[in-house]
Amino acid sequence: QVHLVESGGGLVQAGGSLRLSCATSGRTLSSYTLGWFRQAPGKEREFVVGISRSGGGTGYGDSVKDRFTVSLDNAKNTLYLQMNGLKPEDTAVYYCAASSRWWSEVVRTAPRDYEYWGQGTQVTVSS
């Protein structure tokens, strides 16, 4: 089992920034396919950004490209999501996800591709 814990969510004004963190214990995140997803009330879970196994590649959803940046700090075994230029439509619960199923350096973009999920952290952007 992989226990993922997100943190860093909160309330921010439009145009502001937040940095989310995803941490785990007893596992090395770099050995997993990783991703951030978000879900707003009444909407499907949406792909935000993903990192392929071993960090060989990254991919961003169209709605966040050029505003969000993902990074993996191997020393701290922590996955980050730096969110800049936040918009009200970014309001959602953000989830960290991981998978051990994919033995290739390919970014996975579908929720069904991930078997491990954190509890989520709320991000609210006011207008």
Side-chain angles (χ1 to χ4, degrees):
Q1 281 282 1
V2 178
H3 182 215
L4 302 171
V5 180
E6 304 97 336
S7 62
L11 175 64
V12 65
Q13 296 182 38
S17 299
L18 285 173
R19 188 177 74 165
L20 306 183
S21 300
C22 175
T24 189
S25 298
R27 304 281 180 160
T28 302
L29 287 179
S30 62
S31 65
Y32 293 85
T33 302
L34 303 169
W36 286 98
F37 291 79
R38 66 187 184 185
Q39 188 165 23
K43 296 185 178 181
E44 297 181 355
R45 191 160 296 190
E46 176 188 14
F47 171 75
V48 176
V49 63
I51 299 178
S52 63
R53 184 176 60 83
S54 301
T58 60
Y60 293 85
D62 291 338
S63 63
V64 304
K65 188 176 182 180
D66 299 324
R67 297 189 298 120
F68 292 8
T69 303
V70 67
S71 61
L72 178 62
D73 188 328
N74 289 319
K76 297 182 178 179
N77 198 35
T78 301
L79 181 71
Y80 297 99
L81 180 64
Q82 180 66 48
M83 305 186 295
N84 299 323
L86 285 163
K87 305 174 181 179
E89 50 263 45
D90 295 319
T91 296
V93 176
Y94 284 70
Y95 298 91
C96 176
S99 176
S100 62
R101 297 173 180 171
W102 315 106
W103 300 102
S104 62
E105 295 184 353
V106 177
V107 175
R108 312 304 301 195
T109 62
R112 62 181 294 180
D113 294 333
Y114 296 84
E115 68 266 33
Y116 302 114
W117 294 85
Q119 295 295 315
T121 184
Q122 177 71 47
V123 172
T124 302
V125 184
S126 63
S127 59

